[in-house]
Amino acid sequence: EHLPHFKEHLIFVDEQGIPNRAAAIRQVVEHLRAGKVVVIFPKGLLEPDPALIPGASQSILDWSDSVGIFLNEIPQTVLQPMLISQMVHPQAWNHWAIKLFNEQRRRQQLAMALQFVMSLRKKTGANWKIQPRIDFGEALIAYDLSPTLNPREISRNLKEQMLSLLTKVYPKQT
């Protein structure tokens, strides 16, 4: 609500609401039919930073099958897989106060908050700023992932493509 111009470009999905999910799927399909770009976070939650935090491969395996549904509907859509990493500063992740939290997701949230606050400091803030990394997989269309356009097969093969990219960039994650 505090970012109205940004909010108008987002499609919100209620984790519990099936009607909302169906509406979100329709909105995404409409955007793709109109030739618009759609950025999808198939997990729907904060995922482990593969550069630093274990569990990235399992997180990919836990992705929703929504991409398969979208590509089944609009098979000419070009899919550009991206692996985003180096979002969490190692110093924040390993900070003694952050280590007090056992749940990995909560610890990552707090580490990101800590690094943001520390980056605002005048004298030492620059030491806390990081440059995120984006690695691109091979651009694909639905037929590359499933000749029959089976949504589950599309999703499964996309996950395999992403796991391959993850292994290439961060071999210790698999």
Side-chain angles (χ1 to χ4, degrees):
E1 285 135 24
H2 299 291
L3 301 169
H5 299 295
F6 183 66
K7 184 180 174 185
E8 69 188 41
H9 297 286
L10 300 176
I11 299 172
F12 293 95
V13 179
D14 179 0
E15 193 175 321
Q16 306 303 321
I18 299 299
N20 175 263
R21 287 185 192 167
I25 289 170
R26 284 191 297 276
Q27 282 184 282
V28 170
V29 169
E30 287 174 21
H31 273 66
L32 293 174
R33 278 201 178 108
K36 296 180 180 179
V37 172
V38 176
V39 177
I40 299 169
F41 298 91
K43 176 82 177 219
L45 300 169
L46 180 64
E47 296 192 61
D49 185 331
L52 188 61
I53 303 168
S57 58
Q58 184 59 50
S59 189
I60 290 170
L61 293 172
D62 292 341
W63 284 359
S64 79
D65 289 338
S66 60
V67 175
I69 295 167
F70 305 142
L71 293 180
N72 170 271
E73 289 289 321
I74 316 292
Q76 68 275 18
T77 300
V78 176
L79 175 71
Q80 179 58 70
M82 297 185 316
L83 179 67
I84 302 171
S85 62
Q86 298 180 7
M87 298 293 294
V88 179
H89 196 293
Q91 196 170 343
W93 177 252
N94 292 311
H95 191 276
W96 68 268
I98 303 302
K99 284 185 171 183
L100 294 174
F101 293 85
N102 293 327
E103 186 197 356
Q104 183 173 294
R105 183 169 165 237
R106 184 73 176 141
R107 185 175 166 196
Q108 184 173 348
Q109 290 170 331
L110 293 170
M112 292 172 81
L114 174 65
Q115 84 185 37
F116 174 73
V117 169
M118 296 302 284
S119 73
L120 299 176
R121 296 175 74 189
K122 289 189 182 210
K123 291 185 178 181
T124 60
N127 297 335
W128 286 85
K129 293 182 181 175
I130 57 172
Q131 182 67 45
R133 176 177 174 165
I134 301 176
D135 291 280
F136 295 93
E138 179 183 345
L140 307 160
I141 61 171
Y143 293 106
D144 295 331
L145 297 167
S146 172
T148 62
L149 297 179
N150 178 301
R152 289 193 192 277
E153 186 177 18
I154 290 170
S155 294
R156 183 178 60 248
N157 289 335
L158 171 61
K159 291 173 188 180
E160 288 176 11
Q161 292 281 327
M162 285 303 300
L163 287 170
S164 176
L165 178 59
L166 176 66
T167 301
K168 179 180 165 189
V169 179
Y170 297 105
K172 291 182 180 178
Q173 275 287 352
T174 52

